[in-house]
Amino acid sequence: TFEMLKKHGVPFFRSYYKDVSATRTPDAHTVIFDLANTQNRELPLILADLVVLPQHYWTAKLPDGSPAHDFNQTTLTPPLGSGPYKIASVDAPRRIVLQRDPNYWGRDLPVNVGKYNFDKITFDYFRDHTVLLQAFFAGQLDEHEENTAKVWATGYDSAPVRDGRIKREEIPNQLPSGMQGFVFNLRRPVFADPRVREALTLAFDFEWGNKNVAFGAYQRTHSYFENSELAAHGLPGPDELKLLEPFRNQLPPEVFTSEYHAPITDGSGYDRDNLRRARELLEQAGYKYENGQMVKDGQPLRFEMLLVQEAFERWGLPFQRNLKRIGVDMSIRLVDSAQYQKRMEQFDYDMVVSGFPESLSPGNEQRDMWQSNRADIMGSRNLIGIKSPVVDALVDDIVAARSRAELLTATHALDRVLLWGHYVIPHWYIGKFRVAYWNRFGRPDVTPPYGLPVVETWWHRDTSRRADEQTR
C-alpha cells in the first residue's frame, strides 16, 4: 500500500511520506519503515494510520496479462475495501448507495459499539441547490447540512419545517476553520507584486456582504488557523522571533510590527477610504489610471475569477463592482465541476474560491499546501504557487516540533508570514454546523466537538412508538 500510494497516488502522498527512506519486510507480519531523520515526530503516527489496500485485488491480471484493475485509471467499478459498508450501486453522476456489510471484521469491537446503525445509506447529488431543497422538503432526502447563509435564513419556510417534521439545528463545534478566501495564483504575473494583492484585498467589502448576502451569519477570518489556539495574535513573542529573525530581510516589516487584521469597511458597499488606499498601492506598483483603467506597460490590470458554485457569484459581483471603481477589470466565469476540477489540477486559473483546512495538530500535510517544491507539481495543494524559503523553513519547523509549545510557536510564525504575504483575500467562518433533518432520527446526547458524524453515530427511530419506548 505504501509503495502504491507513493508511486501512483495523488501528489499529496509523496510529500506526506517524504521522510521515509526505505521499507523492509523481515517476515510476513512485520513492516519496518526507515526514516530519513529523527525530526519528523508525527510520521510514526501517520504510518501507523496507513489504510491498507488489498494487494491481490490491485495486482490481479486478466487472461491476456493486462491489469484487471488499474490503479492509475478512473473507474466506476467499486473497488474492494474493508470497511463497515460496501458500495451497492453507482448511478453517476446522480447517486451512490452504500450497504452495511454484516460480515464487517470490526463490527463487535468496543470502539464501534453504537456506530454504523443504518443498513443502507444513499448519497444523492444535485447540481441545483433549489432542486435539492425541494427534494428534501418532499421527503426524498433525510438530512442536509446547509452551507449557504442566505438559504439557511430564508429558504426553509416550508410546511414540514413549520410543523416540526423537519428539525433545524445549529450545532456548535470547536474545529479550526482554516482559511477560505479568494485565492491568488502567483503563477500569473499580474499577481507577482504583493502591493497589487493587498490593493485587491482592500476592494472586498466583507461587512456589506455579510449584512446583505449572509444575513450577518459570519465572522471575518483573520488567520490561516482561525477558531483555534494555532492562530497568531498580538506581536511575535521571543520564541517566534527566534524563528523569524534569520529571515527579517526577506519579510515585510509588518510581520514584526503589526498584528494582521483583514481590512474593515464601513459596510456601505463603497468604502472610499479603502478604495483610495487600494488605488495608491496600485500606483506604487507602477500602474497609472488611464481612461477608467489601471494600466502598466500598456497592459490593463485584468484577471478572471473561476467559480464552480453559483452561490459565490453573490459575493463576487459586488467585489467586481468595487474593482471597477479603481480601474481593475475582473471577469467571473462559472464552469461545471469536471472542467473546474481539471483546471484546478493544472493550476489553470487566475483567482479561485478555495480553502485550506487545518487540523488541531498541523504537520506533514503543510508541505503540500505551502512548500516551494510542490508549486509546480500538478494536483498538489499549493494552489497559490508559493515559492518562499521562509515558508519552507517554517513548515519544516512545524513538522519537527517536539512539543505542543513548539508547534504553537511555529504555526503562529507561519500564520504571520502567510497573512502578510497577502496570498488570499480572507473570507469568513462560522463555528457551528447548520443541520436540517426529518424528525425520525436519534443522535447521541453528547455532541463531538470536532465533527458531525451523522452516518457513523446517528440512528433511525421508530416514530410509531412513544419517545420513552425508543431503543437504539
Side-chain angles (χ1 to χ4, degrees), residues 144-392:
H144 173 58
E145 184 180 347
E146 184 58 67
N147 294 317
T148 304
K150 179 181 179 181
V151 177
W152 186 251
T154 66
Y156 284 79
D157 185 16
S158 177
V161 179
R162 290 193 297 268
D163 63 25
R165 285 176 293 160
I166 289 179
K167 299 179 67 173
R168 293 204 309 156
E169 293 191 43
E170 294 185 349
I171 303 174
N173 66 65
Q174 300 173 34
L175 285 170
S177 61
M179 171 65 77
Q180 176 187 289
F182 295 128
V183 177
F184 297 109
N185 185 357
L186 268 58
R187 303 169 187 85
R188 300 291 203 249
V190 67
F191 298 135
D193 193 319
R195 292 170 295 188
V196 172
R197 303 195 296 269
E198 183 180 0
L200 301 182
T201 301
L202 285 162
F204 176 56
D205 194 334
F206 164 75
E207 282 70 26
W208 183 91
N210 194 37
K211 179 175 63 177
N212 292 280
V213 175
F215 294 81
Y218 295 123
Q219 300 179 62
R220 188 73 188 272
T221 297
H222 299 287
S223 167
Y224 281 79
F225 301 90
E226 189 64 82
N227 201 37
S228 76
E229 64 175 348
L230 301 162
H233 296 290
L235 299 181
D239 291 339
E240 282 186 70
L241 289 174
K242 289 179 183 178
L243 302 180
L244 295 170
E245 280 290 356
F247 305 104
R248 182 180 282 270
N249 293 335
Q250 302 176 52
L251 292 170
E254 292 87 350
V255 170
F256 300 91
T257 62
S258 304
E259 180 179 2
Y260 179 88
H261 289 286
I264 298 173
T265 72
D266 58 15
S268 66
Y270 184 22
D271 190 303
R272 291 178 179 272
D273 290 339
N274 277 10
L275 294 180
R276 186 181 300 110
R277 174 61 180 153
R279 185 166 168 174
E280 290 171 355
L281 284 168
L282 292 175
E283 289 171 349
Q284 291 174 21
Y287 284 91
K288 294 183 178 179
Y289 191 77
E290 298 177 356
N291 300 319
Q293 289 187 316
M294 279 293 178
V295 179
K296 181 179 180 181
D297 300 326
Q299 297 297 318
L301 206 172
R302 178 180 295 141
F303 65 94
E304 177 186 270
M305 179 188 290
L306 182 69
L307 298 178
V308 69
Q309 291 177 285
E310 198 172 326
F312 281 113
E313 282 189 305
R314 292 195 292 270
W315 292 88
L317 291 172
F319 180 40
Q320 182 186 54
R321 287 195 296 270
N322 269 349
L323 290 174
K324 193 69 175 176
R325 286 165 174 154
I326 58 173
V328 178
D329 181 13
M330 181 188 79
S331 59
I332 298 176
R333 181 185 296 271
L334 184 67
V335 298
D336 63 65
S337 58
Q339 182 182 164
Y340 183 81
Q341 179 67 26
K342 192 68 174 178
R343 291 184 62 172
M344 291 293 287
E345 290 175 355
Q346 299 177 347
F347 308 126
D348 182 18
Y349 49 83
D350 299 331
M351 174 182 283
V352 292
V353 173
S354 193
F356 302 94
E358 294 293 351
S359 71
L360 292 164
S361 182
N364 288 260
E365 78 288 343
Q366 302 296 308
R367 290 170 167 168
D368 202 43
M369 290 192 286
W370 316 121
Q371 287 198 322
S372 302
N373 59 6
R374 315 308 296 170
D376 296 324
I377 297 179
M378 298 295 182
S380 83
R381 295 183 186 180
N382 192 342
L383 303 179
I384 299 168
I386 296 176
K387 292 184 177 181
S388 164
V390 184
V391 171
D392 293 346

Side-chain angles (χ1 to χ4, degrees), residues 36 51 58 82 86 102 106 113 134 174 186 195 241 255 284 302 318 345 358 385 407 428 435-436 444 456:
V51 177
W58 291 108
S82 59
K86 294 181 178 181
V113 172
Q134 293 308 310
Q174 300 173 34
L186 268 58
R195 292 170 295 188
L241 289 174
V255 170
Q284 291 174 21
R302 178 180 295 141
E345 290 175 355
E358 294 293 351
L407 180 66
W428 51 82
V435 187
E456 295 89 344

Side-chain angles (χ1 to χ4, degrees), residues 128-154:
D128 187 284
H129 194 277
T130 302
V131 176
L132 182 154
L133 272 186
Q134 293 308 310
F136 178 50
F137 296 150
Q140 296 179 28
L141 306 176
D142 295 305
E143 181 267 343
H144 173 58
E145 184 180 347
E146 184 58 67
N147 294 317
T148 304
K150 179 181 179 181
V151 177
W152 186 251
T154 66

Side-chain angles (χ1 to χ4, degrees), residues 380-456:
S380 83
R381 295 183 186 180
N382 192 342
L383 303 179
I384 299 168
I386 296 176
K387 292 184 177 181
S388 164
V390 184
V391 171
D392 293 346
L394 293 175
V395 168
D396 286 341
D397 289 331
I398 289 175
V399 174
R402 294 171 297 175
S403 66
R404 183 67 180 177
E406 287 189 8
L407 180 66
L408 292 175
T409 297
T411 57
H412 293 166
L414 176 64
D415 196 22
R416 296 181 197 280
V417 171
L418 293 175
L419 289 167
W420 286 111
H422 302 291
Y423 297 126
V424 306
I425 300 176
H427 276 183
W428 51 82
Y429 72 99
I430 183 170
K432 52 193 173 185
F433 300 110
R434 294 177 292 221
V435 187
Y437 57 95
W438 282 83
N439 190 19
R440 50 177 172 259
F441 295 98
R443 62 183 180 88
D445 294 331
V446 178
T447 301
Y450 305 121
L452 184 68
V454 175
V455 168
E456 295 89 344

